[in-house]
Amino acid sequence: MRAADSAGRPIPSSVLSLGAQPLVSANAHAAPAHGGHEEHHHYTTTGLDSRKIAIWAFIGSECMLFASLISTYLIYKGRSIVGPFPHTAWTNPQTGQVMKPILNIPVTSASTFVLLMSSLAMVLALAAVENKDKPLPAGAGLGDRMLASSKLWLWATCLLGAGFLAFQAYEFTSFVHEGLTIKTNLFGSTFFTLTGFHGAHVTAGVIWLGTLLAIDYKRGLGPKDALNVDIAALYWHFVDVVWIAIFTLLYLIPD
Amino acid sequence: MATVAASPTYASHATGEKEGIMAWLTTTDHKKIGTLYLHTSLFFFIFGGLEAVLMRWQLMKPNMTVVTADQFNQLFTMHGTTMVFLAIMPLSAAFFNYLIPLQLGARDVAFPRLNAFSYWVYLFGGLFITIPIFGWMAPNGGWFAYAPLSGRTYSPGINMDFWVLGIQILGVSSLAAAFNFATTVINLRAPGMNLMRMPMFTWMSFVTQFLIILAFPVITIALVFLQFDRFFGTNFYQVSAGADPLLWQHLFWVFGHPEVYILILPAFGLVSEVLPTNSKKPLFGYPVMAYSGILIGFLGFGVWAHHMFAVGMGPIGDTVFSLTTMLIAIPTGVKIFNWIFTMWGGSIRFTAAMKFAIGLIALFTIGGISGISHSSPPSDLQQTDTYYIVAHFHYVLFGGAIMGIFSGIYHYFPKMYGRYMNETLGTWHFWLNFIAMNLTFFPMHFSGMLGMPRRIYTYDANQGWDTFNMISTAGAFLLMPATLIFIYNFFSSKKGGEPAPPNAWDAATLEWSIPSPPPEYNFAKIPVVHSRYPLWDLTHPERTKDVPHTDAGMVHTGEHDVVDMHIETETFTAKQLGIPMPSATIKPFWTALGMVIMFTGLLMMPHNKTAGYAGIGVGAAMLVGFLYAWLTTPLEEHH
Ligand code: HEM
Ligand SMILES: [Cu+2]
């Protein structure tokens, strides 16, 4: 019984009536757990869920992470002693052959486009989850039904993300065939580390979105999950924006 | 005011199910995690102290042979690393954990399980980096591990691998905790507590979290480069491949200087609680104190190259960093004056905590002044890499951070354990510590000025350093009994100290409005805050008549308005009050262990590929598996 403490002393009603405010904290979970219970209303100072604030703090930290990587790349730009070089021709010391600059800008432009499109799909996925409860308009056509499908857009985001990773895998292997590894020169070390770090972030994002997709298949994502999707989306857009910076600074601006 | 029950009763009720060791392994209670941090970091503090004593013994007289040159290298590397990453930072984290939710009027941190994860990563990372010294295989490249010296070419052994991977592990712990506490402060303040009403400790901790969030990724990347150079043969610090030998130094100090403020700001926060309470006056210039903390944090990112005046940056670089360094002394000085004005005209109660707080003001000022003396490059060129620098940073770190933390421990012990620490022993501890500290470090100003380089394992007689070294060693030996007194006092007072009421020092902030030790749910009723000093509004309104108040949280009862605030003396269980609490869980523990096993696998790679892959595989599987399990289980159980 609630009216007495462990020692049997009665609990003053002042305390009882004042207590029972829920723990001021967020529920960091993706699965439905409150079978039967109504959702607690968690008081927060800003009115925002704590996870939303934490992801922004995390993104701030990630900015410094990529800033350090990109700065190092820029500091070392043009300081490699041996080729391959990104934007200038180089002579293969073994064969004496003059080789083209190693970066393949058309291919990377295509992969950049793919990643940007994945951000668009992400926006549509979030909108679909947020609007799950709204009935489709009368006479809704295929377009409306497609827009309302969170599964479709989560699939699209994941596949476009995976497509970007496939481009990256292709780029990395062809560079290795042309004689550039992470050990070859300063360009190789900085290039593979920076783009590899970015690729690892994309991979984590694909796994994250894939998990959301699995939940969507299992029990259907709805407006109450919008925050979970929103946070994943913030991360995803951030990873995209970082790529824009990398693409501009590494690929588009010559030495 | 009722006194508190004879022994802490909250532990067995905290989870309702788990007892004994499992209660600690599975806890998500910020107070218990704070207690874990406190004990672990005190252990590492003692350990790092013993390493220092061994070094001082070796340096007592010229040409001693207590340890070898390489052992000496390991000792100073591990002493610095231990004190910075395993003692002072987690001692501060102990207070973040224990105090931030209590000072904010919250029931826990924003992410209780992430909080447990941070602690376990810290513990395992600390062991990872510490254990090798038992086989004299410890890191030996100095706490700032300058590359290329720390690269495979010049440091071929496993020693620096422990350092590179260990610091990486500890960084995960600090970052996870920083996201958590920053979010907690932003989002879990009690109604009415706007930023300008936050207790100063929480303020300084808040700034510290941002420094961690922005500075740690930089060292993470510097370490990734070093790790890749050492393990995969990349060229980041390979001068023969065209690398810049200063890259590491820049990256390290972009992190390193904010890091010194990460170490000192929480201690500043603690004494900013102790001084007003024991002067019975509000903190002088509260807004200026908050802003100067922010300014220090901000400027702290623009001074890093003052550690590099000797590398030949040229006149422009030297001038810029000299000026910013001089500038940062201003907000620091402002704090010193505000503390002095806080005491000015107060009726001061010289508790042990107060003595340590005043000790901080005195000793930190000396360190600040020597700091300014090497903010000028021509002057620094005489001082850099000498014992003068060692004197400087020990005055700010020992005289500043450690004194502040001791002050905080004496002050908050009654809140944590419901009992006071012994004041007589505290006074002995203070004076012995104060005298020994000055005996150890003051002569280093002279030995440094006379040209004694830092990080030498021995020296020849008759260079004018002999007496100073003898005195420094005597001081270091005296620090041992001082610390022993503290340790004895700490542990004996838990059971035998004089019982303390909830508001043990007649203080002003929310953490003192609840029983000691606090119940698992902290606040039976989430308080409403209407000024900076809610409890003084209740008990000493005359002290707070000049600080801003709002109407929110006041109860209008006809003639007089009274504050809706009371000091709670009774402890219940969360179940009785129907307050949902985070469930206990072992998952953060296993997730953390998995991560450290993964790093151990990486460590093994150059020596035994099979063991390496096995470690990485098992560790990664544990990490991912338990992380998934954790994220898909709800935080709270339902009553
Ligand atoms: C008034 C403020 C301060 C100024 C002007 C200042 C200035 C400096 C300068 C110029 C150096 C580099 C000296 C050299 O290596 O030649 C230095 C080193 C150092 N300072 Fe400070 N400092 C200040 C406060 C602090 C604080 C608050 C801390 C930490 C709590 C701190 C910790 C250190 C450490 C650890 C080093 C040496 C790092 C190493 O070489 O291992 N300083 N300080
Ligand atoms: Cu500095």
Side-chain angles (χ1 to χ4, degrees):
Chain A
M1 267 306 293
R2 272 191 189 172
D5 70 5
S6 48
R9 293 168 300 183
I11 296 175
S13 61
S14 63
V15 173
L16 269 183
S17 63
L18 298 170
Q21 287 176 1
L23 173 72
V24 185
S25 110
N27 282 7
H29 59 90
H34 302 290
H37 285 271
E38 59 189 294
E39 197 63 52
H40 288 302
H41 176 72
H42 288 291
Y43 168 82
T44 62
T45 313
T46 58
L48 295 171
D49 189 283
S50 288
R51 282 171 293 165
K52 189 93 183 230
I53 292 170
I55 189 82
W56 278 111
F58 175 72
I59 287 176
S61 198
E62 292 270 282
C63 284
M64 290 300 285
L65 193 94
F66 281 105
S68 309
L69 284 164
I70 293 174
S71 314
T72 305
Y73 178 86
L74 294 177
I75 290 167
Y76 278 172
K77 204 167 164 177
R79 289 177 65 141
S80 293
I81 290 172
V82 295
F85 301 130
H87 299 285
T88 44
W90 56 285
T91 316
N92 188 325
Q94 263 106 49
T95 60
Q97 219 181 339
V98 177
M99 312 284 283
K100 282 190 301 186
I102 200 162
L103 290 182
N104 188 338
I105 294 174
V107 167
T108 314
S109 305
S111 79
T112 304
F113 179 74
V114 166
L115 195 63
L116 284 180
M117 285 306 104
S118 81
S119 257
L120 178 65
M122 186 73 245
V123 171
L124 294 172
L126 177 59
V129 169
E130 278 168 347
N131 297 325
K132 239 341 149 29
D133 286 355
K134 297 202 184 118
L136 284 174
L142 179 65
D144 293 308
R145 285 214 302 282
M146 274 170 66
L147 275 182
S149 166
S150 57
K151 291 197 187 78
L152 173 68
W153 297 116
L154 281 174
W155 266 115
T157 319
C158 280
L159 288 178
L160 289 165
F164 174 84
L165 289 173
F167 271 111
Q168 194 172 46
Y170 164 77
E171 185 189 39
F172 279 19
T173 22
S174 62
F175 281 8
V176 170
H177 282 298
E178 290 172 54
L180 181 74
T181 71
I182 199 167
K183 296 187 199 179
T184 312
N185 55 13
L186 282 177
F187 169 65
S189 297
T190 49
F191 172 83
F192 281 112
T193 307
L194 168 53
T195 54
F197 247 81
H198 181 267
H201 277 74
V202 176
T203 310
V206 170
I207 296 173
W208 188 350
L209 293 168
T211 310
L212 288 175
L213 189 58
I215 295 172
D216 202 357
Y217 274 102
K218 207 168 132 203
R219 61 169 173 83
L221 293 173
K224 65 178 184 330
D225 305 296
L227 186 75
N228 275 324
V229 182
D230 191 7
I231 289 169
L234 267 174
Y235 172 82
W236 190 256
H237 297 317
F238 167 75
V239 172
D240 266 20
V241 169
V242 170
W243 181 255
I244 307 284
I246 295 177
F247 183 59
T248 314
L249 293 169
L250 263 71
Y251 291 84
L252 296 185
I253 300 180
D255 298 309
Chain B
M1 246 178 264
T3 45
V4 142
S7 69
T9 50
Y10 70 107
S12 58
H13 293 293
T15 62
E17 319 138 350
K18 307 273 194 326
E19 298 284 340
I21 181 102
M22 277 316 275
W24 292 101
L25 295 184
T26 61
T27 185
T28 49
D29 180 333
H30 70 98
K31 300 177 288 298
K32 293 180 104 183
I33 295 173
T35 312
L36 288 171
Y37 262 110
L38 181 62
H39 286 78
T40 314
S41 48
L42 279 176
F43 166 79
F44 281 117
F45 174 68
I46 306 279
F47 196 82
L50 290 175
E51 287 165 344
V53 167
L54 210 53
M55 279 192 284
R56 276 319 321 168
W57 188 2
Q58 162 74 14
L59 293 176
M60 181 164 71
K61 285 188 275 184
N63 298 314
M64 299 263 292
T65 53
V66 179
V67 292
T68 65
D70 182 55
Q71 288 169 348
F72 192 85
N73 289 351
Q74 300 188 21
L75 285 173
F76 72 66
T77 303
M78 282 316 295
H79 167 68
T81 303
T82 304
M83 288 304 188
V84 169
F85 295 102
L86 306 179
I88 300 183
M89 279 185 80
L91 276 165
S92 304
F95 286 104
F96 300 157
N97 265 285
Y98 213 97
L99 290 183
I100 288 178
L102 297 187
Q103 291 200 324
L104 293 177
R107 295 229 164 97
D108 208 316
V109 294
F111 306 103
R113 293 178 294 189
L114 186 64
N115 200 20
F117 174 75
S118 299
Y119 169 74
W120 295 113
V121 173
Y122 154 58
L123 175 67
F124 298 142
L127 294 174
F128 181 94
I129 207 169
T130 300
I131 286 173
I133 199 149
F134 292 105
W136 291 114
M137 290 193 297
N140 52 2
W143 87 279
F144 49 50
Y146 275 179
L149 179 65
S150 54
R152 196 57 89 193
T153 322
Y154 304 106
S155 299
I158 197 171
N159 310 53
M160 287 313 286
D161 291 336
F162 280 113
W163 193 85
V164 173
L165 300 176
I167 300 296
Q168 201 71 289
I169 297 172
L170 294 168
V172 172
S173 164
S174 304
L175 278 170
F179 300 138
N180 206 345
F181 289 116
T183 307
T184 305
V185 175
I186 292 172
N187 223 19
L188 299 192
R189 280 169 281 135
M193 184 176 290
N194 58 32
L195 289 177
M196 276 300 149
R197 290 195 189 139
M198 283 193 324
M200 196 46 67
F201 170 73
T202 296
W203 245 120
M204 292 304 106
S205 307
F206 190 43
V207 176
T208 305
Q209 307 314 321
F210 282 99
L211 293 181
I212 296 178
I213 287 173
L214 298 175
F216 264 78
V218 182
I219 184 82
T220 302
I221 290 304
L223 286 166
V224 165
F225 292 165
L226 187 54
Q227 194 175 320
F228 281 16
D229 271 13
R230 291 184 64 87
F231 287 90
F232 311 131
T234 52
N235 305 305
F236 290 102
Y237 306 117
Q238 285 292 328
V239 180
S240 56
D244 186 339
L246 294 184
L247 177 69
W248 171 273
Q249 294 197 22
H250 280 293
L251 290 173
F252 184 87
W253 290 116
V254 167
F255 150 79
H257 191 87
E259 170 69 16
V260 305
Y261 287 105
I262 292 169
L263 298 169
I264 195 66
L265 284 179
F268 280 2
L270 286 170
V271 299
S272 301
E273 301 294 334
V274 172
L275 288 166
T277 302
N278 290 307
S279 306
K280 304 179 185 145
K281 280 175 63 195
L283 184 65
F284 184 88
Y286 171 100
V288 180
M289 283 301 239
Y291 294 139
S292 62
I294 299 173
L295 197 61
I296 288 176
F298 189 75
L299 289 176
F301 279 95
V303 300
W304 78 87
H306 66 208
H307 295 271
M308 300 167 60
F309 285 145
V311 305
M313 287 182 295
I316 295 183
D318 279 3
T319 311
V320 168
F321 283 101
S322 171
L323 284 176
T324 52
T325 303
M326 291 176 185
L327 213 59
I328 205 169
I330 297 173
T332 316
V334 162
K335 284 195 173 297
I336 304 274
F337 282 110
N338 278 7
W339 289 324
I340 294 173
F341 290 140
T342 301
M343 292 190 288
W344 187 267
S347 54
I348 297 181
R349 180 172 49 184
F350 285 99
T351 62
M354 188 66 172
K355 290 182 184 120
F356 275 98
I358 298 172
L360 177 145
I361 301 180
L363 299 178
F364 182 83
T365 304
I366 298 177
I369 290 171
S370 60
I372 297 174
S373 83
H374 38 247
S375 65
S376 158
S379 157
D380 181 60
L381 289 180
Q382 301 302 315
Q383 299 163 358
T384 191
D385 267 331
T386 72
Y387 261 84
Y388 189 89
I389 301 298
V390 181
H392 159 68
F393 63 71
H394 282 93
Y395 269 88
V396 285
L397 290 170
F398 196 139
I402 293 290
M403 294 294 247
I405 286 164
F406 276 137
S407 172
I409 292 177
Y410 281 100
H411 195 68
Y412 282 103
F413 190 91
K415 179 50 58 190
M416 296 176 172
Y417 295 103
R419 291 173 181 281
Y420 289 102
M421 283 178 80
N422 183 304
E423 283 287 321
T424 315
L425 289 179
T427 302
W428 273 96
H429 173 214
F430 170 73
W431 283 112
L432 269 181
N433 199 65
F434 186 84
I435 292 166
M437 187 275 166
N438 282 291
L439 217 51
T440 312
F441 299 112
F442 205 78
M444 291 183 186
H445 290 110
F446 301 111
S447 46
M449 277 306 186
L450 292 169
M452 179 168 166
R454 61 191 279 204
R455 296 180 172 174
I456 51 170
Y457 80 105
T458 192
Y459 53 94
D460 267 334
N462 301 321
Q463 304 184 76
W465 313 336
D466 303 8
T467 319
F468 294 123
N469 275 297
M470 181 57 97
I471 301 173
S472 286
T473 300
F477 279 120
L478 194 59
L479 278 169
M480 289 200 288
T483 312
L484 271 180
I485 293 176
F486 166 76
I487 294 294
Y488 171 77
N489 193 357
F490 183 87
F491 284 101
S492 66
S493 300
K494 280 188 191 179
K495 291 261 150 54
E498 194 193 322
N503 192 355
W505 307 108
D506 195 13
T509 40
L510 290 179
E511 70 271 30
W512 301 103
S513 72
I514 53 175
S516 304
E520 50 178 324
Y521 51 81
N522 296 350
F523 298 87
K525 175 201 167 200
I526 297 295
V528 177
V529 177
H530 54 277
S531 91
R532 259 170 228 156
Y533 302 106
L535 291 192
W536 279 355
D537 287 337
L538 183 72
T539 54
H540 304 282
E542 76 285 355
R543 288 184 194 164
T544 64
K545 58 184 185 307
D546 294 335
V547 301
H549 286 71
T550 47
D551 211 32
M554 303 290 266
V555 179
H556 300 277
T557 52
E559 261 171 53
H560 297 287
D561 292 349
V562 290
V563 279
D564 178 14
M565 181 62 56
H566 70 288
I567 295 178
E568 181 63 57
T569 52
E570 283 199 81
T571 296
F572 308 97
T573 64
K575 267 206 172 68
Q576 289 170 321
L577 300 180
I579 299 171
M581 296 304 295
S583 342
T585 167
I586 190 80
K587 286 169 199 129
F589 174 91
W590 291 118
T591 312
L593 191 62
M595 198 184 94
V596 177
I597 292 176
M598 206 172 85
F599 275 94
T600 313
L602 194 54
L603 179 82
M604 294 307 296
M605 282 307 268
H607 311 280
N608 181 338
K609 281 243 158 20
T610 328
Y613 281 122
I616 294 175
V618 171
M622 278 174 74
L623 174 66
V624 174
F626 281 104
L627 193 64
Y628 251 78
W630 156 7
L631 292 176
T632 50
T633 332
L635 177 66
E636 294 160 8
E637 64 190 87
H638 282 264
H639 298 302

